[in-house]
Amino acid sequence: MRNLDTWKAIRAPFLTGLALSAALLLLPLAALGDAPVAAEAQPTPGLLTLPAVPTPAAVPEPSPGEWDSAQTLRVLGRDGQVAEMTMTDYLWCVVAAEMPASFEPEALRAQTVCARTYSLWKLQAKNHAADGADICADSSCCQAFLSKEDAAQRWGEGLASAYTAKVASAVADTDGQVLTYDGAPIQAVFFSSASGATENSEAVWGKALPYLVSVDSPEGDEVPNYHSTVTLTADQVKKTVAEAGLDSDLSGEPSGWFTSLTRTASGRVASVDLGGVALSGSAARNLFALRSACFDVTESDGTFTFSVTGYGHGVGMSQYGANAMAKAGTGWKDILAHYYTGAQLQSGL
């Protein structure tokens, strides 16, 4: 009983003090009422104030280069509207869309030169003259495009400022630099990742270009989804072939549908026979939605498994290969010289 009486004697003042403390804490909250958001609440004397969570410091962007800022482009957006902008602003949106901003600065600089060069090459083609535009924001036709607002949302508040400045630096640091062959901008194509080597242009598009030849590429298992698989049943293969309008004879056993597979020197599929119809590696890749033409196909109990390495068409600069070279200390000019054989850098065409 003494212990209980002692607890009662202690509890009364303890609860009284606790109630008073709660009242003190609630008073400043009640006083705020519907105060404007812009007004800062002042700390109440005697109460604990927690330090504010620091906001990531903004990273200043470099000044635009003279050459890029003097050029204007009419860009056909995905919404069908045409917007006029400087080459500086266009290249920022392309590089932010085409290459991860987390990549090494030298890789981003190499990517910027590719994007600038490819833009000038597309300008000469005048594919969008009927649209009143010079180039479009569709990656399947020209180059990918990401606005600064969309890029900031993708990167998140903690990285947006630093990445915005990082991409802007890649554009400014390579101002006006263009890859040329015989004095003209090259077709500076690029892709995500190779399977040890890039591909000759004629193996993919049927036309040989002296600066788009197979070279070694150093990326590997650090690439996300570097190795991937696609699994299809025999019925799915039949349906895909029928929808594509191919005259393949798939009446026999599935084990005999894919035959006579040959490879290019880079390891990609050069051709494969599908039910008596010869397909190029690129055609097979597109037909079965594979990440690249570097694949093996096996069959078991009527199920086909495509084992794929790398991602993209394989011609020109490998982006992950460029990043691997940059991590090893290679500068952007040497990265470009490696992937575009015999091409020259020229300033301000």
Side-chain angles (χ1 to χ4, degrees), residues 20-325:
L20 286 173
S21 297
L24 286 172
L25 285 169
L26 292 172
L27 278 173
L29 295 177
L32 284 176
D34 295 325
V37 175
E40 281 191 13
Q42 297 299 315
T44 304
L47 293 181
L48 178 64
T49 56
L50 297 176
V53 177
T55 301
V59 179
E61 294 184 40
S63 300
E66 292 183 7
W67 192 89
D68 286 338
S69 60
Q71 315 303 313
T72 58
L73 288 172
R74 297 169 300 164
V75 181
L76 176 64
R78 288 183 290 271
D79 59 359
Q81 300 299 309
V82 177
E84 187 171 291
M85 64 188 69
T86 65
M87 179 69 81
T88 297
D89 292 337
Y90 172 71
L91 289 177
W92 191 98
C93 295
V94 170
V95 174
E98 292 283 10
M99 177 175 275
S102 59
F103 274 22
E104 297 293 313
E106 294 299 296
L108 287 165
R109 293 183 181 106
Q111 178 67 61
T112 302
V113 176
C114 291
R116 183 184 295 107
T117 303
Y118 191 75
S119 300
L120 295 179
W121 183 83
K122 290 293 289 188
L123 287 179
Q124 294 177 347
K126 298 182 179 180
N127 292 336
H128 293 287
D131 302 312
D134 301 311
I135 203 163
C136 77
D138 182 355
S139 62
S140 65
C141 176
C142 294
Q143 299 182 102
F145 185 96
L146 189 67
S147 70
K148 285 194 174 183
E149 294 75 18
D150 289 342
Q153 185 174 7
R154 174 187 292 183
W155 295 331
E157 185 178 354
L159 293 171
S161 178
Y163 280 178
T164 296
K166 189 177 181 183
V167 174
S169 293
V171 177
D173 293 346
T174 62
D175 180 51
Q177 295 295 305
V178 178
L179 285 164
T180 65
Y181 195 89
D182 287 340
I186 69 169
Q187 191 174 347
V189 292
F190 48 87
F191 64 101
S192 179
S193 59
S195 55
T198 66
E199 186 59 275
N200 294 323
S201 61
E202 65 268 25
V204 178
W205 297 306
K207 181 179 179 180
L209 292 171
Y211 50 82
L212 293 178
V213 297
S214 179
V215 297
D216 293 340
S217 195
E219 70 271 43
D221 288 334
E222 80 279 3
V223 179
N225 300 314
Y226 188 57
H227 300 287
S228 60
T229 58
V230 171
T231 302
L232 298 172
T233 65
D235 286 341
Q236 288 173 320
V237 171
K238 283 184 175 180
K239 181 180 178 181
T240 300
V241 167
E243 289 176 347
L246 295 180
D247 193 25
S248 298
D249 179 6
L250 303 181
S251 59
E253 290 296 319
S255 59
W257 290 2
F258 289 91
T259 60
S260 304
L261 188 148
T262 64
R263 297 188 183 277
T264 66
S266 73
R268 292 171 178 80
V269 173
S271 65
V272 61
D273 186 280
L274 175 55
V277 175
L279 298 176
S280 68
S282 295
R285 176 203 173 198
N286 293 332
L287 182 64
F288 297 110
L290 310 179
R291 285 171 62 86
S292 85
C294 183
F295 65 86
D296 290 306
V297 56
T298 57
E299 183 272 337
S300 178
D301 296 328
T303 297
F304 295 90
T305 300
F306 297 86
S307 302
V308 188
T309 303
Y311 185 28
H313 52 64
V315 182
M317 187 183 76
S318 163
Q319 294 170 314
Y320 275 92
N323 197 47
M325 292 180 70

Side-chain angles (χ1 to χ4, degrees), residues 106 110 325 329-340 345:
E106 294 299 296
M325 292 180 70
T330 306
W332 62 271
K333 293 181 181 180
D334 289 332
I335 292 172
L336 294 171
H338 175 73
Y339 282 109
Y340 301 100
L345 274 172

